[in-house]
């Protein structure tokens, strides 16, 4: 427990409503970060109960406390080392048997546990009657019926957890019989552990013995570090038990332990805990009926594509006018600043570096907010899990796994995600090779950072077919990711296939609060990034596109041209146009002479086959830091080249009026942005998840080369077709 604040951990399976309960308890009084040294998300928050402050931590969703995944290791470490006063274990009442598996492990660990029997409304709708009082009697811990999405029963459940936390002593660990062979091994190992106080600072002795029998890699590693001699002695006893089980029952300790745990759970549920009131004609739950259509072998994938297409259609239809209004607002702001400030570097920085740079990115907030809203609704409804289920067969053909689907979706498979959490989500894959292939191909998805680039250029060059083009870009990302995975799995990352098992949560009607919270979290992250990272990069790029500028000799040449025009031409439109042309030439020359302009110009002969000029080169280089910066860089570049003080046009208008842009090189840019190097943060996360900079370097250079080849091919083919 932390100081004078009571500390309660919230644990549960994925899709049990654990995070929904946490959000209901804490509301805005929460913060999200990462556990020290790793990238697993850490959510903490505070709530008040009867005038007492309660500190809550939302543990990563896990099915067990055996170290199969990093989330399970983290959850167990928090329970063992931070020692919460109690654990509020949130269970999905509709799949009680599977959810109680984690409960049993918590009790074996000696944790004070209060059970929140969640989703009771859905269980009743399925025809299930669950006797919470009877379950509490049998398992020996408080059990409270709850509906987290409406808040029903949550206060009572928290009260039960707090009452447990206030007890002076902790409960004795649960002891289950695992059959003669395993029980004998446990009886032999437990005294050795107790005698030498082997890891008992954090864990009960019998629980440590169980972990050795389950071959828990994390506990084995801790044991070797603590006392190699005792660890080897325990491993020898495990080996003896395992050999005996193999010889007599053709099984192994881990399987026996799992079987007996489920047997214990089944015996609980048979003793009047669950009554199924459904008749034989109505045994198929509502979710199962929907799945007959939505996950059908033929209709399911077609409906999935229809959902993706409809999402883009709705985004453009609803977001068109708000995005236009926001663009007008930024034009007005620029005009006000232009009129109020004197000429000089600060004015140039504010107008070109900040307003045109960052404003270009923020101008897409309405469209992206609508997209995030729709994605949140799909996630909260349970449909995303069905997408993973349907795609498993396809993914297997390309050497991946059904569990790879969710990392792809999180990375932006249905647009608007982020490769960073997508790559982290690949931890759920137990096959190291499939996990690596997923990590390396997830960045091809349409992440939220790429969306501003797509929305800008699709809106300019494909105004009548915006939905279709965005839809095709998403499909292209999937296709390239799968083909690349097939290439990697047949060359650099070969390996055997592993089975795919996934829980399909019941369909739920998304709640307004849940959708709003999830949408706001994403859009706030987008705006925060625009106001910090992108702002900083925009200022640096403004400096890079401003200095050192043209030489004194070149400046004198342009001054001479203007002087000559003023001396030889009478007042009028012709003279004004001539002076404007000289000023435009000077602005373009100054931009080319800047540090960034010189780099872009140097690369122009290389990128010319893809149709990229020196301004585009600068933007794409900057986009390696963060893809949104492509827009802010173009905004700054075009703004610095603007010489008419009365013409405050949007970036879209400037690109539309630039004769260097065609549909061919616009398509090339869209494809290049979709496929080229992951952003810097993603490259760092790839290193963290793979343990090697080698794979980050591979991702950078392979994606860059592939993107360039695709962009060149697209540009050249479209140019030939246009002749």
């Amino acid at each position: 427990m932390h100081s004078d604040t009571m500390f309660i951990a919230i644990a549960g399976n994925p899709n049990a409503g654990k995070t929904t309960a946490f959000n209901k308890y804490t509301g805005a009084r929460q913060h999200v970060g990462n556990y020290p040294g790793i990238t697993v998300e850490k959510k903490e928050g505070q709530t008040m109960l009867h005038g007492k402050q309660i500190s809550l931590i939302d543990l990563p969703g896990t099915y067990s406390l055996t170290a199969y995944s990093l989330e399970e290791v983290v959850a167990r470490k928090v329970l063992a080392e931070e020692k919460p006063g109690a654990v509020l274990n949130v269970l999905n009442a509709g799949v009680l048997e599977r959810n109680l598996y984690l409960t049993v492990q918590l009790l074996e660990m000696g944790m004070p546990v209060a059970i929140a029997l969640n989703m009771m409304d859905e269980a009743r709708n399925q025809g299930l009657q669950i006797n919470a009082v009877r379950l509490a009697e049998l398992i020996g811990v408080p059990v409270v019926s709850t509906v987290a999405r409406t808040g029903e029963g949550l206060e009572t459940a928290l009260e039960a957890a707090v009452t447990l936390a206030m007890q002076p002593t902790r409960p004795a660990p649960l002891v289950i019989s695992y059959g003669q062979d395993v029980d004998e091994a446990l009886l032999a190992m437990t005294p050795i552990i107790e005698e030498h106080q082997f890891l008992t600072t954090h864990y009960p002795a019998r629980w440590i013995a169980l972990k050795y029998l389950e071959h828990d890699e994390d506990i084995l590693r801790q044991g070797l570090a603590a006392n190699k001699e005792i660890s080897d002695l325990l491993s020898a006893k495990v080996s003896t038990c395992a050999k005996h089980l193999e010889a007599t029952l053709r099984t192994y300790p881990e399987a026996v332990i799992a079987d007996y745990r489920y047997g214990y759970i089944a015996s609980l549920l048979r003793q009047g805990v669950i009554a199924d009131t459904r008749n034989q004609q109505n045994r198929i739950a509502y979710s199962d009926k929907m799945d007959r259509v939505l996950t059908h072998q033929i209709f399911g994938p077609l409906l999935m594509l229809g959902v993706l297409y409809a999402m883009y259609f709705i985004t453009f239809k609803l977001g068109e006018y708000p995005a236009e209004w926001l663009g007008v607002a930024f034009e007005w702001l620029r005009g006000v600043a232009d009129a109020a400030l004197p000429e000089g570097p600060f004015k140039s920085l504010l107008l070109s570096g900040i307003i045109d740079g960052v404003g270009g990115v923020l101008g897409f907030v309405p469209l992206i907010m609508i997209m995030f809203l729709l994605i949140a609704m799909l996630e909260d409804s349970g449909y995303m899990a069905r997408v993973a289920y349907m795609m498993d067969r396809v993914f297997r053909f390309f050497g991946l796994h059904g569990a790879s689907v969710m990392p792809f979706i999180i990375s932006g498979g249905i647009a608007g995600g982020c490769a960073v959490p997508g790559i982290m989500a690949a931890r759920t894959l137990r096959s190291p090779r499939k996990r690596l292939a997923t990590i390396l191909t997830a960045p091809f998805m349409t992440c939220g950072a790429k969306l501003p680039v797509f929305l800008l250029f699709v809106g300019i060059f494909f105004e009548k077919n915006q939905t279709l083009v965005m839809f095709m870009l998403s499909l292209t990302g999937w296709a390239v990711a799968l083909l690349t995975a097939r290439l990697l799995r047949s060359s650099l990352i070969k390996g055997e296939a592993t089975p795919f098992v996934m829980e399909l949560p019941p369909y739920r009607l998304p709640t307004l609060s849940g959708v709003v919270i999830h949408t706001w979290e994403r859009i706030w992250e987008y705006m925060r990034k625009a106001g910090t990272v992108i702002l900083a990069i925009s200022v640096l790029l403004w400096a890079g596109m401003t200095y050192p500028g043209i030489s004194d000799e070149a400046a004198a040449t342009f001054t001479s041209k203007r002087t000559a025009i003023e001396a030889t031409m009478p007042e009028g439109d012709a003279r004004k146009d001539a002076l404007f042309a000289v000023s435009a030439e000077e602005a373009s020359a100054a931009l080319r002479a800047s540090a960034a302009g010189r780099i872009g110009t140097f690369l122009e002969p290389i990128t010319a086959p893809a149709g990229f000029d020196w301004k585009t080169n600068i933007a794409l280089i900057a986009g390696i830091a963060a893809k949104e910066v492509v827009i802010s860089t173009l905004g700054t570049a075009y703004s610095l080249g603007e010489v008419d003080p009365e013409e405050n046009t949007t970036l879209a208008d400037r690109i539309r009026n630039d004769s260097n842009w065609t549909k061919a090189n616009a398509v090339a840019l869209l494809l290049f942005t979709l496929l080229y190097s992951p952003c810097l943060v993603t490259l760092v996360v790839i290193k963290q998840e793979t343990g090697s900079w080698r794979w980050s370097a591979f991702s950078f250079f392979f994606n860059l080369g592939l993107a360039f080849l695709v962009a060149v091919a697209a540009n050249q083919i479209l140019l030939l077709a246009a002749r």
Side-chain angles (χ1 to χ4, degrees):
M1 295 173 63
H2 297 302
S3 62
D4 57 324
T5 302
M6 187 163 291
F7 173 37
I8 304 293
I10 303 179
N13 289 186
N15 302 311
K18 172 179 60 67
T19 299
T20 302
F22 175 79
N23 289 337
K24 284 285 187 181
Y25 283 131
T26 60
R29 299 181 299 278
Q30 59 176 263
H31 61 274
V32 180
N34 287 335
Y35 288 94
I38 54 175
T39 51
V40 175
E41 190 178 78
K42 181 179 185 179
K43 283 190 175 183
E44 293 181 300
Q46 281 73 43
T47 189
M48 298 296 294
L49 183 68
H50 305 320
K52 184 174 181 61
Q53 182 163 307
I54 312 295
S55 180
L56 298 173
I57 183 168
D58 184 14
L59 295 177
T62 61
Y63 291 102
S64 77
L65 292 178
T66 300
Y68 290 129
S69 70
L70 192 52
E71 282 76 8
E72 290 166 341
V73 173
V74 167
R76 193 169 74 192
K77 186 175 181 180
V78 171
L79 294 172
E81 296 182 6
E82 298 192 28
K83 297 194 180 301
V87 177
L88 181 57
N89 185 199
V90 180
L91 276 60
N92 181 348
V95 281
L96 193 53
E97 183 178 84
R98 179 163 60 244
N99 280 235
L100 279 169
Y101 191 83
L102 176 62
T103 309
V104 168
Q105 290 188 299
L106 289 168
L107 294 173
E108 286 184 306
M109 200 173 171
M111 301 303 302
V113 176
I115 293 176
L117 205 55
N118 196 34
M119 303 184 191
M120 285 294 284
D121 55 340
E122 295 181 8
R124 287 190 289 267
N125 291 337
Q126 294 174 27
L128 297 175
Q129 289 184 353
I130 300 175
N131 190 332
V133 175
R134 179 60 175 157
L135 177 60
E137 291 174 354
L138 292 170
I139 203 167
V141 301
V143 179
V144 179
S145 299
T146 65
V147 180
R149 65 187 182 88
T150 64
E152 179 185 333
L154 288 183
E155 183 175 339
T156 305
L158 185 58
E159 285 177 345
V162 169
T163 300
L164 285 174
M166 294 174 66
Q167 299 301 313
T169 58
R170 292 204 160 204
L174 175 67
V175 175
I176 298 174
S177 172
Y178 290 105
Q180 182 178 349
D181 295 320
V182 174
D183 283 352
E184 285 180 359
L186 288 170
L187 286 172
M189 296 165 70
T190 302
I192 297 172
I193 295 168
E194 290 174 337
E195 180 185 350
H196 294 87
Q197 296 185 343
F198 182 72
L199 303 180
T200 53
T201 305
H202 296 312
Y203 309 107
R206 191 173 190 271
W207 187 89
I208 295 168
L210 277 169
K211 294 298 111 179
Y212 264 77
L213 284 161
E214 290 178 306
H215 199 72
D216 187 295
E217 292 183 359
D218 183 60
I219 292 295
L220 292 176
R221 189 162 47 249
Q222 291 183 46
L224 284 171
N227 189 324
K228 185 177 185 303
E229 183 180 351
I230 299 300
S231 180
D232 290 343
L233 178 59
L234 295 175
S235 295
K237 293 190 178 297
V238 170
S239 179
T240 300
C241 176
K243 288 177 181 177
H244 185 67
L245 287 171
E246 173 63 26
T248 56
L249 300 173
R250 294 282 184 256
T251 188
Y252 50 95
E254 187 178 358
V256 171
I257 291 168
D259 286 343
Y260 273 82
R261 280 192 185 127
Y262 276 119
Y264 171 76
I265 293 167
S267 69
L268 290 176
L269 300 182
R270 288 194 197 102
Q271 298 179 60
V273 173
I274 295 182
D276 191 343
T277 61
R278 296 170 293 186
N279 58 40
Q280 292 298 319
Q281 288 73 34
N282 193 34
R283 291 196 63 84
I284 300 176
Y286 179 69
S287 291
D288 294 334
K289 292 178 181 178
M290 290 186 66
D291 281 339
R292 283 186 167 182
V293 177
L294 295 181
T295 63
H296 188 273
Q297 282 188 332
I298 297 174
F299 299 120
L302 292 176
L303 285 169
M304 181 183 68
L305 293 176
V307 167
L308 177 60
Y309 187 88
M311 190 182 72
Y312 287 126
F313 179 81
I314 293 168
T315 297
F316 284 113
K317 284 296 181 184
L318 295 183
E320 179 181 0
Y321 293 110
E324 185 178 325
W325 297 334
L326 196 56
V328 170
F330 277 111
E331 287 180 46
W332 173 83
L333 179 62
R334 191 183 197 283
V336 170
D338 192 11
L341 295 173
E343 294 296 330
F346 177 74
K347 179 177 180 178
S348 176
L349 169 61
L350 183 64
L351 297 184
S352 300
I354 298 176
I355 295 178
D356 287 332
V358 177
V361 175
L362 290 177
F364 293 98
V365 165
L367 290 167
I368 291 173
M369 184 171 66
I370 293 169
M371 197 165 289
F372 285 164
L373 182 73
L374 295 172
I375 291 169
M377 292 174 66
L378 289 175
E379 289 174 341
D380 292 359
S381 70
Y383 183 70
M384 288 296 200
R386 271 70 186 182
V387 173
Y389 173 79
M390 286 186 289
M391 293 295 289
D392 177 52
R393 184 177 299 179
V394 175
F395 269 49
R396 284 180 178 278
F397 177 78
F398 290 97
L400 288 176
H401 195 286
S404 302
V405 177
M406 289 312 294
F408 275 26
I409 290 174
I410 294 168
S411 297
I414 304 190
C418 177
V420 171
I423 288 169
M424 294 177 191
R427 295 172 186 158
T428 56
L429 279 79
R430 296 188 180 181
S431 165
R433 291 178 176 84
K434 290 186 176 182
R435 180 171 176 264
L436 179 57
T438 303
I439 287 171
L440 295 176
T441 51
F444 289 126
M445 298 295 107
T446 311
C447 71
K450 298 173 186 175
L451 282 177
V453 185
F454 295 166
L455 293 169
L456 175 66
F457 282 89
V458 169
I460 295 171
F461 294 97
F462 302 96
E463 192 172 357
K464 295 182 179 179
N465 298 293
Q466 293 179 86
T467 303
L468 178 61
V469 174
M470 288 293 291
F471 177 69
M472 294 306 297
L473 279 170
S474 285
L475 292 188
T476 301
W478 282 89
V480 172
L482 291 174
L483 291 171
T484 302
R486 179 70 271 172
L487 174 65
L488 293 173
R489 293 285 285 127
S490 59
S491 55
L492 298 178
I493 317 174
K494 293 181 179 179
E496 295 297 323
T498 54
F500 172 58
V501 179
M502 182 177 184
E503 175 187 356
L504 293 181
Y507 290 101
R508 306 184 187 102
L509 187 65
T511 63
L512 179 61
S513 61
V515 170
V516 169
I517 288 174
H518 292 149
T519 303
W520 171 246
E521 287 174 347
R522 287 171 171 167
I523 202 68
W524 170 247
E525 178 62 24
Y526 178 82
M527 293 192 300
R528 187 184 66 80
K529 192 174 182 182
T532 54
V533 176
I534 294 171
L535 174 60
I537 295 172
S538 295
V539 171
L540 290 174
L541 287 169
W542 169 84
M545 286 187 278
T546 302
Y547 301 104
I550 57 175
S551 64
D552 292 340
E553 293 80 3
T557 300
F558 287 114
T559 301
S560 298
K561 287 183 179 180
R562 277 191 289 268
T563 302
I565 291 170
E566 290 170 350
T568 58
M569 296 184 70
E571 292 283 350
D573 290 341
R575 178 181 174 178
K576 184 178 178 181
D577 290 344
L579 289 171
F580 182 87
V582 173
S583 296
E585 185 183 354
E586 183 178 16
S588 179
L591 189 55
R592 272 186 180 269
S594 68
R598 291 173 185 177
I599 295 172
T601 302
F602 173 78
L603 293 173
E604 202 168 33
I606 300 172
T607 61
F612 301 158
D613 64 6
W614 59 280
K615 288 182 182 179
T616 307
N617 291 341
I618 298 171
L620 292 173
I621 292 170
I624 294 172
K627 293 298 183 289
E628 302 100 325
V629 178
V630 172
I631 296 297
S632 61
T633 306
L634 286 173
T636 301
Y638 276 93
S639 177
L640 288 171
E642 186 69 68
V643 295
D644 188 348
E646 298 180 358
E647 188 178 357
N648 287 317
T649 56
T650 64
L651 175 59
D653 290 332
R654 291 167 181 163
I655 293 174
R656 190 179 286 112
N657 296 329
D658 187 345
S659 59
N660 291 321
W661 281 105
T662 64
K663 275 192 177 181
N665 57 12
V667 170
L669 177 72
L670 289 169
L671 292 171
F672 188 86
T673 303
L674 175 69
L675 304 177
Y676 87 111
S677 167
C679 68
L680 290 179
V681 177
T682 303
L683 291 172
V684 171
V685 171
I686 290 174
K687 185 270 175 185
Q688 291 175 341
E689 296 297 310
T690 62
S692 172
W693 282 110
R694 181 168 62 99
W695 290 114
S696 296
F698 174 85
S699 182
F700 178 88
F701 290 108
F702 178 83
N703 291 22
L704 184 62
L706 176 63
F708 184 69
L709 291 175
V710 171
V712 169
N715 185 53
Q716 296 301 318
I717 290 170
L718 289 173
L719 286 176
L720 286 173
R723 289 178 184 173

